[in-house]
Amino acid sequence: MGSVSTLHSIRPLCIAAGLLTAAMPAASAEAEPIAFPHKNWSDFRGILNVFGAFRSACLAQQVTRELPEQILPEDYQVVSSSLHALGFESGTEHKTVVLSKTGDEERDFAGGHAYIEMSFPTDAAPSGECRVAWKREWDYSKGVEDIMMSTAVLLDSWTSFELKAVRLSRPDDGFSVADQYGLVSEWAAPCFDSTWCRVNLHVDLRLEDGIHLAISRGEPPTASDGN
């Protein structure tokens, strides 16, 4: 009949085009400060905070010079990427800035605070680049294995629902319970200018270290994605 091969050949972008057009974020006159509405613990609440920050910082509009100050969360500061990562200024013009709770990557991670990294537009990336990262030790003495397993199992569903996204990369063929999970996936999500943005998601779950999540916006997907 050929129906199976035909279905496999349909690209995810075509399958969900109508749904995602309806889900496009409405344009706003001015970006608003990011808020973290949930308790920032190492479970779904913290992941929701990261998704929300990513939508506001990376999907709602392109990066501009003014945007970091416009969306700066309460008690956060804007610092250069060199100061945040290395502890000192590079002495050159800042092309990448970080919205940070502490001003330092290690202290942000130690405190379990998400940070937003934003690179200003270039010829290679005319919309700028944007990433949200979060690392936190487990807030629980019991039940961590169950939290890790449920996070690993449900992450795709959460990502699809929270970002209205379609997965581009092939899902894993199976699932095995383990004491650590490394989850890497690529998505297409509706974003500014009624278009698509490529989203790269990396989640690391380790029994001894906690949760580490990084999500970034890339260039728009192409027609060959999803093959």
Side-chain angles (χ1 to χ4, degrees):
M1 296 175 61
S3 59
V4 174
S5 61
T6 301
L7 287 173
H8 280 297
S9 68
I10 297 176
R11 298 185 177 94
L13 297 185
C14 297
I15 297 173
L19 292 175
L20 289 176
T21 298
M24 294 294 180
S28 58
E30 184 175 345
E32 297 182 353
I34 292 171
F36 299 108
H38 307 283
K39 191 168 184 178
N40 198 33
W41 277 24
S42 47
D43 53 30
F44 188 40
R45 290 169 290 183
I47 295 175
L48 277 177
N49 282 338
V50 172
F51 282 156
F54 183 74
R55 286 196 307 267
S56 298
C58 305
L59 297 182
Q61 65 282 302
Q62 304 178 41
V63 177
T64 64
R65 291 278 176 178
E66 300 76 24
L67 185 61
E69 290 289 350
Q70 291 175 347
I71 64 172
L72 188 66
E74 185 178 0
D75 297 328
Y76 270 57
Q77 57 187 303
V78 179
V79 299
S80 69
S81 59
S82 58
L83 181 62
H84 187 253
L86 304 175
F88 59 83
E89 295 287 5
S90 63
T92 60
E93 180 184 5
H94 299 156
K95 298 180 180 180
T96 302
V97 297
V98 181
L99 284 59
S100 166
K101 178 81 168 181
T102 70
D104 179 86
E105 182 179 62
E106 290 188 2
R107 283 186 287 160
D108 280 340
F109 282 158
H113 310 300
Y115 67 80
I116 301 100
E117 184 176 81
M118 312 183 82
S119 297
F120 299 122
T122 62
D123 291 341
S127 300
E129 296 179 341
C130 188
R131 183 174 76 101
V132 180
W134 173 58
K135 184 176 182 180
R136 188 174 178 92
E137 295 182 355
W138 298 115
D139 292 291
Y140 307 91
S141 58
K142 296 181 180 179
V144 173
E145 295 90 342
D146 292 337
I147 294 173
M148 289 174 54
M149 182 181 67
S150 62
T151 299
V153 170
L154 296 174
L155 185 64
D156 276 7
S157 298
W158 292 342
T159 304
S160 178
F161 181 80
E162 292 297 325
L163 302 183
K164 305 298 186 290
V166 176
R167 181 160 176 156
L168 298 177
S169 58
R170 177 175 174 172
D172 293 335
D173 292 328
F175 179 82
S176 299
V177 177
D179 59 4
Q180 67 180 55
Y181 303 92
L183 310 171
V184 180
S185 54
E186 191 171 71
W187 300 77
C191 59
F192 48 82
D193 295 335
S194 298
T195 188
W196 299 76
C197 285
R198 185 189 303 271
V199 175
N200 296 293
L201 179 65
H202 183 191
V203 179
D204 204 32
L205 306 165
R206 295 178 182 268
L207 193 59
E208 300 299 327
D209 299 330
I211 181 171
H212 187 181
L213 187 159
I215 182 170
S216 61
R217 169 172 60 75
E219 291 304 299
T222 64
S224 62
D225 288 315
N227 285 339

